[in-house]
Amino acid sequence: MSTVTENDLKELKDLIINNHKVLEKGQADLKEQLTAIDKRLAIVETRLEDWKPAIDKIPDLAEKVGELKNLRQFLIITITAVFSGFIGWFVRGGNLKP
């Protein structure tokens, strides 16, 4: 072969080897990043498992808040009725007879 062809082949071979090294380095970096992500994911999963009992109680708490709201409305209506009855009694002059 001619010298030019041998030099071209050597350059191509060097380019292929260099590109292969760059690809291997990129793959190693990706593996490191995936390992870091796996560690973070494990931490998040652990936290979620710790929070699971509290998260499961949310529907029960919402129901209790609704019940308290109904109770509060009942108490307001009752107090208003008693208070208006007292005002009526006071307007009539405080007599028990109508």
Side-chain angles (χ1 to χ4, degrees):
M1 279 192 218
S2 70
T3 312
V4 175
T5 306
E6 287 179 14
N7 287 339
D8 289 343
L9 288 174
K10 178 154 176 44
E11 284 181 32
L12 285 173
K13 184 179 178 182
D14 290 341
L15 280 173
I16 290 171
I17 291 171
N18 287 338
N19 283 341
H20 183 68
K21 288 179 182 178
V22 168
L23 287 174
E24 284 179 346
K25 184 180 182 300
Q27 286 179 344
D29 291 343
L30 284 174
K31 285 181 182 178
E32 288 177 15
Q33 290 177 358
L34 284 174
T35 303
I37 289 172
D38 286 342
K39 288 179 183 176
R40 289 180 186 167
L41 185 59
I43 291 170
V44 169
E45 287 176 350
T46 303
R47 286 185 182 168
L48 282 176
E49 288 298 321
D50 292 343
W51 294 347
K52 191 174 186 316
I55 292 171
D56 290 341
K57 291 180 184 177
I58 290 174
D60 294 335
L61 292 173
E63 184 178 341
K64 286 183 181 180
V65 168
E67 290 172 1
L68 289 175
K69 183 179 176 186
N70 293 340
L71 180 63
R72 185 176 56 190
Q73 289 174 344
F74 175 74
L75 289 174
I76 289 172
I77 291 170
T78 304
I79 291 171
T80 304
V82 169
F83 186 67
S84 62
F86 177 72
I87 290 177
W89 176 76
F90 186 71
V91 169
R92 285 192 311 253
N95 295 331
L96 293 176
K97 296 179 184 177

Coordinates of all heavy atoms in Angstrom, one line a residue:
M1 N 0.8 -1.2 0.0 CA 0.0 0.0 0.0 C 0.9 1.2 0.0 O 2.0 1.2 0.5 CB -0.9 0.0 1.2 CG -2.1 -0.8 1.2 SD -3.1 -0.4 2.5 CE -3.7 -2.0 2.9
S2 N 0.2 2.3 -0.4 CA 1.0 3.5 -0.4 C 1.0 4.1 0.9 O 0.3 3.8 1.8 CB 0.4 4.5 -1.4 OG -0.9 4.9 -0.9
T3 N 1.9 5.0 1.1 CA 2.1 5.7 2.4 C 0.9 6.5 2.8 O 0.5 6.5 4.0 CB 3.3 6.6 2.4 OG1 4.4 5.9 1.8 CG2 3.7 7.1 3.7
V4 N 0.3 7.1 1.8 CA -0.9 7.9 2.1 C -2.1 7.1 2.6 O -2.7 7.4 3.6 CB -1.3 8.7 0.8 CG1 -2.6 9.5 1.1 CG2 -0.2 9.7 0.4
T5 N -2.3 5.9 2.0 CA -3.3 5.0 2.4 C -3.0 4.5 3.8 O -4.0 4.4 4.6 CB -3.4 3.9 1.4 OG1 -3.6 4.4 0.1 CG2 -4.6 3.0 1.7
E6 N -1.8 4.1 4.1 CA -1.5 3.6 5.4 C -1.7 4.7 6.5 O -2.2 4.4 7.5 CB 0.0 3.1 5.4 CG 0.2 1.9 4.6 CD 1.6 1.4 4.6 OE1 2.4 2.0 5.4 OE2 2.0 0.5 3.9
N7 N -1.3 5.9 6.1 CA -1.5 7.0 7.1 C -3.0 7.3 7.3 O -3.5 7.5 8.5 CB -0.9 8.3 6.6 CG 0.6 8.2 6.7 OD1 1.2 7.5 7.5 ND2 1.3 9.1 6.0
D8 N -3.8 7.2 6.2 CA -5.3 7.4 6.4 C -5.9 6.3 7.2 O -6.7 6.6 8.1 CB -5.9 7.5 5.0 CG -5.6 8.7 4.2 OD1 -5.1 9.7 4.8 OD2 -5.8 8.7 3.0
L9 N -5.4 5.1 7.0 CA -6.0 3.9 7.7 C -5.6 4.1 9.2 O -6.4 3.8 10.1 CB -5.4 2.6 7.2 CG -6.0 2.2 5.8 CD1 -5.3 0.9 5.3 CD2 -7.5 1.9 6.0
K10 N -4.4 4.5 9.5 CA -3.9 4.7 10.9 C -4.8 5.8 11.5 O -5.2 5.7 12.7 CB -2.5 5.0 10.9 CG -1.9 5.3 12.3 CD -0.5 5.0 12.4 CE 0.1 5.3 13.7 NZ -0.6 4.9 14.9
E11 N -5.0 6.9 10.8 CA -5.9 8.0 11.4 C -7.3 7.5 11.7 O -7.8 7.8 12.7 CB -5.9 9.2 10.4 CG -4.7 10.0 10.4 CD -4.8 11.2 9.4 OE1 -5.9 11.7 9.2 OE2 -3.8 11.6 8.8
L12 N -7.8 6.7 10.7 CA -9.2 6.2 10.9 C -9.2 5.2 12.2 O -10.1 5.3 13.0 CB -9.7 5.4 9.7 CG -10.1 6.3 8.5 CD1 -10.4 5.5 7.3 CD2 -11.3 7.1 8.9
K13 N -8.2 4.4 12.3 CA -8.1 3.5 13.4 C -8.0 4.3 14.7 O -8.7 3.9 15.7 CB -6.9 2.6 13.2 CG -6.7 1.5 14.3 CD -5.5 0.7 14.0 CE -5.4 -0.4 15.1 NZ -4.2 -1.2 14.9
D14 N -7.2 5.3 14.7 CA -7.0 6.1 15.9 C -8.4 6.8 16.3 O -8.8 6.9 17.4 CB -5.9 7.2 15.8 CG -4.5 6.5 15.7 OD1 -4.4 5.4 16.2 OD2 -3.6 7.2 15.2
L15 N -9.1 7.3 15.3 CA -10.4 8.0 15.5 C -11.4 7.0 16.1 O -12.1 7.3 17.0 CB -10.9 8.6 14.2 CG -10.3 9.9 13.7 CD1 -10.8 10.3 12.3 CD2 -10.7 11.0 14.7
I16 N -11.4 5.8 15.5 CA -12.3 4.8 16.0 C -12.0 4.4 17.5 O -12.9 4.3 18.3 CB -12.3 3.5 15.1 CG1 -12.9 3.8 13.8 CG2 -13.0 2.4 15.8 CD1 -12.7 2.8 12.7
I17 N -10.7 4.3 17.8 CA -10.3 3.9 19.2 C -10.6 5.1 20.1 O -11.2 4.9 21.2 CB -8.8 3.6 19.2 CG1 -8.5 2.3 18.5 CG2 -8.3 3.6 20.6 CD1 -7.0 2.0 18.3
N18 N -10.4 6.3 19.7 CA -10.7 7.5 20.5 C -12.2 7.6 20.8 O -12.7 7.9 21.9 CB -10.1 8.8 19.9 CG -8.6 8.9 20.0 OD1 -8.0 8.2 20.9 ND2 -8.0 9.6 19.2
N19 N -13.0 7.4 19.7 CA -14.4 7.5 19.9 C -14.9 6.4 20.8 O -15.9 6.6 21.6 CB -15.1 7.4 18.5 CG -15.0 8.7 17.7 OD1 -14.8 9.8 18.3 ND2 -15.2 8.6 16.4
H20 N -14.3 5.2 20.7 CA -14.7 4.1 21.5 C -14.4 4.4 23.0 O -15.2 4.2 23.9 CB -14.0 2.8 21.1 CG -14.4 1.6 21.9 ND1 -15.6 1.1 21.8 CD2 -13.7 0.9 22.8 CE1 -15.7 0.0 22.6 NE2 -14.5 -0.1 23.2
K21 N -13.3 5.1 23.3 CA -12.9 5.5 24.6 C -13.9 6.5 25.1 O -14.3 6.5 26.3 CB -11.5 6.0 24.7 CG -10.4 4.9 24.5 CD -9.0 5.5 24.5 CE -8.0 4.4 24.3 NZ -6.6 5.0 24.3
V22 N -14.3 7.5 24.3 CA -15.2 8.5 24.7 C -16.6 7.9 25.0 O -17.2 8.2 26.0 CB -15.4 9.6 23.6 CG1 -16.6 10.5 23.8 CG2 -14.1 10.4 23.4
L23 N -17.0 6.9 24.2 CA -18.3 6.2 24.5 C -18.2 5.5 25.8 O -19.2 5.5 26.6 CB -18.6 5.3 23.3 CG -19.1 6.0 22.0 CD1 -19.3 5.0 20.9 CD2 -20.4 6.7 22.3
E24 N -17.1 4.8 26.0 CA -17.0 4.0 27.3 C -17.0 5.0 28.5 O -17.7 4.7 29.5 CB -15.7 3.3 27.3 CG -15.7 2.0 26.4 CD -14.4 1.3 26.4 OE1 -13.4 1.8 26.9 OE2 -14.4 0.1 26.0
K25 N -16.4 6.1 28.4 CA -16.4 7.1 29.5 C -17.8 7.6 29.7 O -18.3 7.8 30.8 CB -15.5 8.3 29.2 CG -15.4 9.3 30.3 CD -14.4 10.4 29.9 CE -14.2 11.4 31.1 NZ -15.5 12.0 31.5
G26 N -18.5 7.9 28.6 CA -19.9 8.4 28.7 C -20.8 7.3 29.4 O -21.7 7.6 30.2
Q27 N -20.6 6.1 29.0 CA -21.4 5.0 29.6 C -21.1 4.9 31.1 O -22.0 4.7 31.9 CB -21.1 3.7 28.9 CG -21.8 3.5 27.6 CD -21.4 2.2 26.9 OE1 -20.5 1.5 27.3 NE2 -22.2 1.9 25.9
A28 N -19.8 5.0 31.5 CA -19.4 5.0 32.9 C -20.1 6.1 33.7 O -20.6 5.9 34.8 CB -17.9 5.0 33.0
D29 N -20.1 7.3 33.1 CA -20.8 8.5 33.7 C -22.3 8.2 33.9 O -22.8 8.5 34.9 CB -20.5 9.7 32.9 CG -19.1 10.2 32.9 OD1 -18.3 9.8 33.8 OD2 -18.7 11.0 32.0
L30 N -22.9 7.6 32.9 CA -24.3 7.3 33.0 C -24.6 6.3 34.1 O -25.6 6.4 34.8 CB -24.8 6.8 31.6 CG -25.1 7.9 30.6 CD1 -25.5 7.2 29.2 CD2 -26.1 8.9 31.0
K31 N -23.7 5.3 34.2 CA -23.9 4.3 35.2 C -23.8 5.0 36.6 O -24.5 4.6 37.5 CB -22.9 3.2 35.1 CG -23.2 2.3 34.0 CD -22.1 1.1 33.9 CE -22.4 0.2 32.7 NZ -21.4 -0.8 32.5
E32 N -22.9 5.9 36.8 CA -22.7 6.6 38.1 C -24.0 7.4 38.4 O -24.4 7.4 39.5 CB -21.5 7.5 38.0 CG -20.2 6.8 38.1 CD -19.0 7.7 37.9 OE1 -19.2 9.0 38.1 OE2 -17.9 7.3 37.7
Q33 N -24.5 8.1 37.4 CA -25.7 8.9 37.6 C -26.9 8.0 37.9 O -27.7 8.3 38.8 CB -26.0 9.7 36.3 CG -25.0 10.9 36.1 CD -25.3 11.6 34.8 OE1 -26.2 11.3 34.1 NE2 -24.5 12.7 34.6
L34 N -27.0 6.9 37.3 CA -28.1 5.9 37.6 C -28.0 5.4 39.0 O -29.0 5.2 39.7 CB -28.1 4.8 36.6 CG -28.7 5.1 35.2 CD1 -28.5 3.9 34.2 CD2 -30.1 5.5 35.3
T35 N -26.7 5.1 39.4 CA -26.5 4.7 40.8 C -27.0 5.7 41.8 O -27.6 5.4 42.8 CB -25.0 4.3 41.0 OG1 -24.7 3.3 40.0 CG2 -24.8 3.8 42.4
A36 N -26.6 7.0 41.5 CA -27.0 8.1 42.4 C -28.5 8.2 42.4 O -29.1 8.4 43.5 CB -26.4 9.4 41.9
I37 N -29.2 8.1 41.3 CA -30.6 8.2 41.2 C -31.3 7.0 41.9 O -32.3 7.2 42.6 CB -31.1 8.2 39.7 CG1 -30.7 9.5 39.1 CG2 -32.6 8.0 39.6 CD1 -30.9 9.6 37.6
D38 N -30.7 5.8 41.8 CA -31.3 4.7 42.6 C -31.2 4.9 44.1 O -32.1 4.6 44.8 CB -30.5 3.4 42.2 CG -30.9 2.9 40.8 OD1 -31.9 3.3 40.3 OD2 -30.1 2.1 40.3
K39 N -30.1 5.5 44.5 CA -29.9 5.8 46.0 C -31.0 6.8 46.4 O -31.6 6.6 47.5 CB -28.5 6.3 46.3 CG -27.5 5.3 46.2 CD -26.1 5.8 46.5 CE -25.0 4.8 46.3 NZ -23.7 5.4 46.5
R40 N -31.2 7.9 45.6 CA -32.2 8.9 46.0 C -33.6 8.3 46.0 O -34.4 8.6 46.8 CB -32.1 10.0 45.0 CG -30.9 10.9 45.1 CD -30.9 12.0 44.1 NE -29.7 12.7 44.2 CZ -29.3 13.6 43.3 NH1 -30.1 13.8 42.2 NH2 -28.1 14.2 43.4
L41 N -33.9 7.4 45.0 CA -35.2 6.8 44.9 C -35.4 5.9 46.1 O -36.5 5.8 46.7 CB -35.3 5.9 43.6 CG -36.6 5.3 43.3 CD1 -37.7 6.3 43.2 CD2 -36.5 4.5 42.0
A42 N -34.4 5.2 46.6 CA -34.5 4.4 47.8 C -34.9 5.2 49.0 O -35.7 4.8 49.8 CB -33.2 3.6 48.0
I43 N -34.2 6.4 49.1 CA -34.5 7.3 50.2 C -36.0 7.8 50.2 O -36.7 7.8 51.2 CB -33.5 8.5 50.2 CG1 -32.1 8.0 50.5 CG2 -34.0 9.6 51.1 CD1 -31.1 9.1 50.3
V44 N -36.4 8.1 49.0 CA -37.8 8.6 48.8 C -38.8 7.5 49.2 O -39.8 7.7 49.8 CB -38.1 9.1 47.4 CG1 -39.5 9.3 47.1 CG2 -37.3 10.4 47.1
E45 N -38.5 6.3 48.7 CA -39.4 5.2 49.0 C -39.4 4.9 50.5 O -40.5 4.6 51.1 CB -38.9 3.9 48.3 CG -39.2 3.9 46.8 CD -38.7 2.7 46.1 OE1 -37.9 2.0 46.7 OE2 -39.0 2.6 44.9
T46 N -38.3 5.0 51.2 CA -38.3 4.8 52.6 C -39.1 5.9 53.3 O -39.9 5.6 54.3 CB -36.8 4.9 53.1 OG1 -36.0 4.0 52.5 CG2 -36.7 4.7 54.6
R47 N -39.0 7.1 52.9 CA -39.8 8.2 53.5 C -41.3 8.0 53.3 O -42.1 8.2 54.2 CB -39.4 9.6 52.9 CG -38.1 10.0 53.4 CD -37.8 11.4 53.0 NE -36.5 11.9 53.5 CZ -35.9 12.9 53.0 NH1 -36.4 13.7 52.1 NH2 -34.7 13.2 53.5
L48 N -41.7 7.5 52.1 CA -43.1 7.3 51.8 C -43.6 6.2 52.7 O -44.7 6.2 53.1 CB -43.3 6.9 50.3 CG -43.2 8.1 49.3 CD1 -43.3 7.6 47.9 CD2 -44.4 9.1 49.6
E49 N -42.8 5.2 52.9 CA -43.2 4.1 53.8 C -43.4 4.6 55.2 O -44.3 4.2 55.9 CB -42.2 2.9 53.8 CG -42.2 2.1 52.5 CD -43.5 1.4 52.3 OE1 -44.1 0.9 53.2 OE2 -44.0 1.4 51.1
D50 N -42.6 5.5 55.6 CA -42.7 6.1 57.0 C -44.0 7.0 57.1 O -44.6 7.0 58.1 CB -41.5 7.0 57.3 CG -40.2 6.1 57.5 OD1 -40.4 4.9 57.7 OD2 -39.1 6.7 57.5
W51 N -44.3 7.6 56.0 CA -45.5 8.5 56.0 C -46.8 7.8 55.7 O -47.9 8.4 55.8 CB -45.3 9.6 54.9 CG -44.2 10.6 55.2 CD1 -43.5 10.7 56.3 CD2 -43.6 11.5 54.3 NE1 -42.5 11.7 56.2 CE2 -42.6 12.2 54.9 CE3 -43.9 11.8 53.0 CZ2 -41.9 13.2 54.3 CZ3 -43.2 12.8 52.4 CH2 -42.2 13.5 53.0
K52 N -46.7 6.6 55.2 CA -47.9 5.9 54.8 C -49.0 5.8 55.9 O -50.2 6.1 55.6 CB -47.6 4.4 54.4 CG -48.7 3.7 53.7 CD -48.2 2.4 53.1 CE -49.2 1.7 52.3 NZ -50.5 1.6 52.8
P53 N -48.7 5.5 57.1 CA -49.8 5.5 58.2 C -50.5 6.9 58.3 O -51.7 6.9 58.4 CB -49.1 5.2 59.5 CG -47.8 4.5 59.0 CD -47.4 5.1 57.7
A54 N -49.7 7.9 58.2 CA -50.4 9.3 58.3 C -51.2 9.6 57.0 O -52.3 10.2 57.1 CB -49.3 10.3 58.4
I55 N -50.7 9.2 55.9 CA -51.5 9.4 54.6 C -52.8 8.6 54.6 O -53.8 9.1 54.1 CB -50.6 9.0 53.4 CG1 -49.4 10.0 53.3 CG2 -51.4 9.0 52.1 CD1 -48.4 9.7 52.3
D56 N -52.7 7.4 55.2 CA -53.9 6.6 55.2 C -55.0 7.2 56.1 O -56.2 6.8 56.0 CB -53.6 5.2 55.7 CG -52.8 4.4 54.7 OD1 -52.8 4.8 53.5 OD2 -52.1 3.4 55.1
K57 N -54.6 8.0 57.1 CA -55.6 8.6 58.0 C -56.3 9.8 57.4 O -57.3 10.3 58.0 CB -54.9 9.0 59.3 CG -54.4 7.8 60.1 CD -53.7 8.3 61.4 CE -53.1 7.1 62.1 NZ -52.4 7.6 63.3
I58 N -55.9 10.3 56.3 CA -56.4 11.6 55.7 C -57.9 11.4 55.5 O -58.7 12.3 55.8 CB -55.7 12.0 54.5 CG1 -54.3 12.5 54.9 CG2 -56.4 13.1 53.7 CD1 -53.4 12.8 53.8
P59 N -58.4 10.4 54.8 CA -59.9 10.3 54.6 C -60.7 10.3 55.9 O -61.7 10.9 56.0 CB -60.1 8.9 53.9 CG -58.7 8.7 53.2 CD -57.7 9.3 54.2
D60 N -60.2 9.6 56.9 CA -60.9 9.6 58.2 C -60.9 11.0 58.8 O -62.0 11.4 59.4 CB -60.2 8.6 59.2 CG -60.3 7.2 58.7 OD1 -61.2 6.8 58.0 OD2 -59.4 6.4 59.1
L61 N -59.8 11.7 58.7 CA -59.8 13.0 59.3 C -60.7 14.0 58.5 O -61.4 14.8 59.1 CB -58.4 13.6 59.2 CG -57.4 12.9 60.2 CD1 -56.0 13.5 59.9 CD2 -57.7 13.2 61.6
A62 N -60.8 13.8 57.2 CA -61.7 14.6 56.4 C -63.2 14.3 56.8 O -64.0 15.3 56.9 CB -61.5 14.3 54.9
E63 N -63.5 13.1 57.1 CA -64.8 12.7 57.5 C -65.2 13.3 58.9 O -66.2 13.9 59.1 CB -65.0 11.2 57.6 CG -66.4 10.7 57.9 CD -66.5 9.2 57.9 OE1 -65.6 8.5 57.3 OE2 -67.5 8.7 58.5
K64 N -64.2 13.3 59.8 CA -64.4 13.9 61.1 C -64.6 15.4 61.0 O -65.4 15.9 61.8 CB -63.2 13.5 62.0 CG -63.3 12.1 62.5 CD -62.1 11.8 63.4 CE -62.2 10.3 63.8 NZ -61.1 10.0 64.7
V65 N -63.9 16.0 60.2 CA -64.0 17.5 60.0 C -65.4 17.8 59.5 O -66.1 18.7 59.9 CB -62.9 18.1 59.0 CG1 -63.3 19.5 58.6 CG2 -61.6 18.0 59.7
G66 N -65.9 17.0 58.5 CA -67.3 17.2 58.0 C -68.3 17.0 59.1 O -69.3 17.7 59.2
E67 N -68.1 16.0 60.0 CA -69.0 15.7 61.1 C -69.0 16.9 62.1 O -70.0 17.3 62.6 CB -68.7 14.5 61.8 CG -68.9 13.2 61.0 CD -68.4 12.0 61.7 OE1 -67.8 12.1 62.8 OE2 -68.5 10.9 61.1
L68 N -67.8 17.5 62.4 CA -67.7 18.6 63.3 C -68.4 19.8 62.7 O -69.0 20.6 63.4 CB -66.3 18.9 63.6 CG -65.5 17.9 64.5 CD1 -64.1 18.3 64.6 CD2 -66.2 17.9 65.8
K69 N -68.3 20.0 61.3 CA -69.0 21.1 60.7 C -70.5 21.0 60.9 O -71.2 21.9 61.2 CB -68.6 21.1 59.2 CG -69.2 22.3 58.5 CD -68.8 22.2 57.0 CE -69.4 23.4 56.2 NZ -69.2 23.3 54.8
N70 N -71.0 19.7 60.7 CA -72.5 19.5 60.9 C -72.8 19.8 62.3 O -73.9 20.4 62.6 CB -72.8 18.1 60.5 CG -72.7 17.9 59.0 OD1 -72.7 18.8 58.2 ND2 -72.6 16.6 58.6
L71 N -72.0 19.3 63.3 CA -72.3 19.6 64.7 C -72.3 21.1 65.0 O -73.1 21.6 65.8 CB -71.3 18.8 65.6 CG -71.4 19.0 67.1 CD1 -72.8 18.4 67.5 CD2 -70.3 18.3 67.8
R72 N -71.3 21.8 64.4 CA -71.2 23.2 64.7 C -72.5 23.9 64.2 O -73.1 24.8 64.8 CB -70.0 23.8 64.0 CG -69.8 25.2 64.3 CD -68.5 25.7 63.7 NE -68.5 25.5 62.3 CZ -67.5 25.6 61.5 NH1 -66.3 26.0 62.0 NH2 -67.5 25.4 60.2
Q73 N -73.0 23.5 63.0 CA -74.2 24.1 62.4 C -75.4 23.8 63.4 O -76.2 24.7 63.6 CB -74.5 23.6 61.0 CG -73.5 24.1 60.0 CD -73.7 23.5 58.6 OE1 -74.4 22.4 58.5 NE2 -73.1 24.1 57.6
F74 N -75.5 22.6 63.9 CA -76.5 22.3 64.8 C -76.5 23.1 66.0 O -77.5 23.6 66.5 CB -76.5 20.8 65.1 CG -77.5 20.3 66.1 CD1 -78.8 20.2 65.8 CD2 -77.1 20.1 67.4 CE1 -79.7 19.8 66.8 CE2 -78.0 19.7 68.4 CZ -79.3 19.5 68.1
L75 N -75.3 23.3 66.6 CA -75.2 24.1 67.8 C -75.5 25.5 67.5 O -76.2 26.2 68.4 CB -73.7 24.0 68.3 CG -73.4 22.6 69.0 CD1 -71.9 22.6 69.4 CD2 -74.2 22.4 70.2
I76 N -75.1 26.1 66.4 CA -75.5 27.5 66.1 C -77.0 27.6 66.0 O -77.5 28.6 66.5 CB -74.7 27.9 64.8 CG1 -73.2 28.1 65.0 CG2 -75.3 29.2 64.2 CD1 -72.4 28.3 63.8
I77 N -77.6 26.7 65.3 CA -79.1 26.8 65.2 C -79.8 26.7 66.5 O -80.7 27.4 66.8 CB -79.6 25.7 64.2 CG1 -79.1 26.0 62.8 CG2 -81.1 25.6 64.2 CD1 -79.3 24.9 61.8
T78 N -79.3 25.8 67.4 CA -79.9 25.6 68.7 C -79.7 26.8 69.5 O -80.6 27.3 70.2 CB -79.2 24.4 69.4 OG1 -79.4 23.2 68.5 CG2 -79.9 24.1 70.7
I79 N -78.5 27.4 69.6 CA -78.2 28.6 70.4 C -79.0 29.7 69.9 O -79.6 30.5 70.6 CB -76.7 28.9 70.3 CG1 -76.0 27.8 71.1 CG2 -76.4 30.3 70.9 CD1 -74.4 27.9 71.0
T80 N -79.2 29.9 68.5 CA -80.0 30.9 68.0 C -81.4 30.8 68.4 O -82.1 31.8 68.7 CB -79.8 30.9 66.4 OG1 -78.5 31.0 66.1 CG2 -80.6 32.1 65.8
A81 N -82.0 29.6 68.3 CA -83.4 29.3 68.7 C -83.6 29.7 70.2 O -84.5 30.3 70.6 CB -83.7 27.9 68.5
V82 N -82.7 29.3 71.1 CA -82.8 29.6 72.5 C -82.7 31.1 72.7 O -83.5 31.6 73.5 CB -81.7 28.8 73.3 CG1 -81.6 29.3 74.7 CG2 -82.0 27.3 73.3
F83 N -81.7 31.7 72.1 CA -81.5 33.1 72.2 C -82.8 33.9 71.7 O -83.2 34.9 72.4 CB -80.3 33.6 71.5 CG -79.9 35.0 71.7 CD1 -79.5 35.4 73.0 CD2 -79.9 35.9 70.7 CE1 -79.1 36.7 73.2 CE2 -79.6 37.2 70.9 CZ -79.2 37.6 72.2
S84 N -83.3 33.5 70.6 CA -84.5 34.2 70.1 C -85.7 34.0 71.0 O -86.5 34.9 71.2 CB -84.8 33.8 68.6 OG -85.1 32.4 68.6
G85 N -85.8 32.8 71.6 CA -86.9 32.5 72.5 C -86.7 33.4 73.8 O -87.7 33.9 74.3
F86 N -85.5 33.6 74.2 CA -85.2 34.5 75.4 C -85.6 35.9 75.0 O -86.2 36.6 75.8 CB -83.8 34.4 75.8 CG -83.4 35.3 76.9 CD1 -83.8 35.1 78.2 CD2 -82.6 36.4 76.6 CE1 -83.5 35.9 79.2 CE2 -82.3 37.3 77.6 CZ -82.7 37.1 78.9
I87 N -85.3 36.3 73.8 CA -85.6 37.7 73.4 C -87.1 37.9 73.3 O -87.7 38.9 73.8 CB -84.9 38.1 72.1 CG1 -83.4 38.2 72.2 CG2 -85.5 39.3 71.5 CD1 -82.7 38.4 71.0
G88 N -87.8 36.9 72.8 CA -89.3 36.9 72.8 C -89.9 37.0 74.2 O -90.8 37.8 74.4
W89 N -89.3 36.2 75.1 CA -89.8 36.3 76.4 C -89.5 37.6 77.1 O -90.4 38.2 77.8 CB -89.1 35.2 77.2 CG -89.4 35.2 78.7 CD1 -90.5 34.7 79.3 CD2 -88.5 35.7 79.8 NE1 -90.5 34.9 80.7 CE2 -89.3 35.5 81.0 CE3 -87.3 36.3 79.8 CZ2 -88.7 35.9 82.2 CZ3 -86.8 36.6 81.0 CH2 -87.5 36.4 82.2
F90 N -88.4 38.2 76.8 CA -88.0 39.5 77.3 C -88.9 40.6 76.7 O -89.4 41.5 77.5 CB -86.6 39.8 77.0 CG -86.1 41.1 77.6 CD1 -85.8 41.2 79.0 CD2 -85.8 42.2 76.8 CE1 -85.4 42.4 79.6 CE2 -85.3 43.4 77.4 CZ -85.1 43.4 78.8
V91 N -89.3 40.5 75.5 CA -90.1 41.5 74.8 C -91.5 41.4 75.4 O -92.2 42.4 75.5 CB -90.1 41.3 73.3 CG1 -91.2 42.1 72.6 CG2 -88.8 41.6 72.7
R92 N -92.0 40.2 75.7 CA -93.3 40.1 76.3 C -93.4 40.6 77.7 O -94.4 40.6 78.4 CB -93.8 38.6 76.2 CG -94.1 38.1 74.9 CD -94.8 36.8 74.9 NE -94.1 35.8 75.7 CZ -93.4 34.8 75.3 NH1 -93.3 34.6 74.0 NH2 -92.8 34.0 76.1
G93 N -92.3 41.0 78.2 CA -92.3 41.6 79.6 C -91.8 40.6 80.6 O -92.0 40.9 81.8
G94 N -91.3 39.5 80.2 CA -90.8 38.5 81.2 C -91.9 37.6 81.8 O -91.6 36.9 82.8
N95 N -93.1 37.7 81.4 CA -94.1 36.9 81.9 C -94.1 35.5 81.3 O -93.8 35.4 80.1 CB -95.5 37.5 81.6 CG -95.7 38.8 82.4 OD1 -95.1 39.0 83.4 ND2 -96.5 39.7 81.8
L96 N -94.4 34.5 82.0 CA -94.4 33.2 81.5 C -95.7 32.9 80.8 O -95.8 31.9 80.0 CB -94.2 32.1 82.6 CG -92.9 32.2 83.3 CD1 -92.8 31.2 84.5 CD2 -91.8 31.8 82.3
K97 N -96.8 33.7 81.0 CA -98.0 33.5 80.3 C -98.0 34.3 79.0 O -97.6 35.4 79.0 CB -99.2 33.9 81.2 CG -99.3 33.1 82.5 CD -100.4 33.6 83.3 CE -100.4 32.8 84.6 NZ -101.5 33.4 85.5
P98 N -98.5 33.7 78.0 CA -98.6 34.4 76.7 C -99.7 35.5 76.7 O -100.6 35.6 77.2 CB -98.9 33.4 75.7 CG -99.2 32.1 76.4 CD -98.9 32.3 77.8

